Amino acid sequence: MRLRLPEERPTEPPTGYKIARPVLSHDGTRAGFTGVSLGAGRPYGVLDEAACAYGRRHRAPHRRCDCGFHCVHDRATAEALLCTAEHRGAALLEVTVLGAYIRFERGFRYARQRVRGATVPPCGCGAAATLLADAGWGSPGWRVVEAACGRCRGGRQALSLAEFARLAGEGLKVVAAEPPVSGGGGPEGPGGLGMPELMAEAALLQARLDWFQAELARFTGDQRG
C-alpha cells in the first residue's frame, strides 16, 4: 500500500524566510541572490523556478531528493542563522512560496518563489549599510556583493540599495538592518566610534601635528625641539 502525503490548497501562497547572498551580474545589468548551502552555485532572480541541484531531470521539489527552494516558517528562525560566522554577511529574505511545496516542521521545500523583501546587515564597521559593494568573490558570471557604508567602500565597485532593487525588479524592497546597540557602556563619538577607535584617531592626529610642526620649523629656520 502506497501512502500519500496530505495535500494543501491554501487560499493565499504561504510566506517564508531564508538567508542568501546578494549577487550582481558581471556586466552590472542584473541582480539576484545565491544560497548559502546546497544552492550556492546557482544564482536566482526575484521571481524564479527551482531546479535540481544535482542535475537530475525531475521537477523540484521531488519527494526522494532534497532539491528545490528552502525556507523556514518564521523570521526569528531565519535571523538565528545569521549568527554563524560564515553567514554574517548574508541578507534576510522574505519570500512567497509558489507552486508545489512540501511542508516540514520548520519550513517548506518548494518549486517557485518570489522574493518580496531583503534586509541587508550592517557594514563590517558596525554602521548602517548604504551600499552593496563587491565582496571579492562569486561564481562564473556573478559577483557577490556585501553590505558596506560609504566610508568602508574604498575603491570597490558598489551600488546603492535602491539601485540593487531596481536591477532585481519585480517590486523587490531592499532595506538596511539597524546597527547593533553598543554594549560597552561607554560614550560613542561621531559615526558610532567607541573609545578605542577615538584613541587611535587621536594618536593619528597627534602624529600629523608633530609632522606639521617639524615641516614648519624647517621652513622658518626654527630648529628648537
Side-chain angles (χ1 to χ4, degrees), residues 91-181:
L92 176 67
L93 308 185
E94 179 181 344
V95 302
T96 298
V97 175
L98 302 173
Y101 63 82
I102 299 174
R103 180 188 289 271
F104 295 93
E105 181 181 359
R106 298 181 63 187
F108 299 99
R109 182 161 61 91
Y110 50 102
R112 299 178 65 238
Q113 75 177 4
R114 180 189 295 274
V115 181
R116 297 205 307 248
T119 302
V120 299
C123 176
C125 71
T130 57
L131 302 166
L132 288 170
D134 189 349
W137 61 282
S139 59
W142 295 89
R143 285 190 288 266
V144 172
V145 289
E146 62 183 2
C149 66
R151 183 174 56 180
C152 297
R153 169 187 177 177
R156 295 181 293 169
Q157 178 184 2
L159 71 168
S160 68
L161 306 187
E163 179 66 9
F164 182 90
R166 186 188 69 81
L167 293 176
E170 299 292 340
L172 175 69
K173 296 182 179 179
V174 182
V175 298
E178 291 293 331
V181 179

Side-chain angles (χ1 to χ4, degrees), residues 77-92:
T77 301
E79 288 177 332
L81 299 175
L82 297 172
C83 293
T84 61
E86 63 270 26
H87 297 157
R88 287 292 178 94
L92 176 67

Side-chain angles (χ1 to χ4, degrees), residues 22-39:
V23 294
L24 183 68
S25 65
H26 71 284
D27 57 3
T29 61
R30 291 175 295 160
F33 300 93
T34 187
V36 296
S37 56
L38 181 63

